[in-house]
Structure formats: C-alpha cells, structure tokens
Amino acid sequence: MKTALKILAWTVGGLVALLLLIVLLLQLPGVRGAILSAALPRAERALPGRLTIEEASWPALGRFELAGIEWVAGSDTLAAADRIL
C-alpha cells in the first residue's frame, strides 16, 4: 500500500511540475513566437481558399495581434480586417 501511494505521489508531483514548466515556458516571448509560427501555417492549410496575414504577434498570454488579414476563396473575399486584437 505504501508503494502504491509513493508511486501516486511521484506521478502527481511530476504532472504538476510539467504543468508549471509549460506555464513558465509560455511566459517567454521566443516560445510564444515559435508556437505562433507553427500554428499560422496549419490554420492556412485548414481553411479553404487563401489566407493572408501580413503581421502576427503574441505579446502576452491571452492576447493575439493580427494585422492585414484577408481570406479569399476564388474571386470572393470571405473576410478582411486591418487589425484584430
């Protein structure tokens, strides 16, 4: 019984430590930039048509800034915006 509790405690402690590490890494601008650089091409592939984003930044957790957005399918403009915060 004591061994099972030790294993459970180490598992829970490891998961908490991993969660804290992820939160701390997301505080770094370079990590957020790398995630944003990986996510934008995926969004462009997932949406039908052509998605153009002139500028994208992730200055803080919970806040994205996108500028010069245009989503076009064929000759139709589905969405366009100068700036989205």
Side-chain angles (χ1 to χ4, degrees):
M1 185 69 177
K2 286 184 179 182
T3 305
L5 287 175
K6 282 185 179 181
I7 291 172
L8 181 63
W10 276 102
T11 302
V12 169
L15 290 174
V16 168
L18 183 62
L19 184 63
L20 285 173
L21 179 64
I22 290 170
V23 169
L24 288 174
L25 285 174
L26 284 174
Q27 299 295 323
L28 299 174
V31 173
R32 288 193 311 262
I35 293 170
L36 186 63
S37 295
L40 287 177
R42 285 181 177 240
E44 290 173 1
R45 285 192 307 266
L47 293 172
R50 182 178 47 89
L51 178 66
T52 305
I53 300 173
E54 291 178 7
E55 184 182 343
S57 66
W58 189 2
L61 286 178
R63 181 176 173 176
F64 290 104
E65 294 180 0
L66 303 173
I69 302 161
E70 186 177 51
W71 181 22
V72 177
S75 62
D76 297 329
T77 300
L78 301 175
D82 290 330
R83 188 170 194 84
I84 296 178
L85 299 176

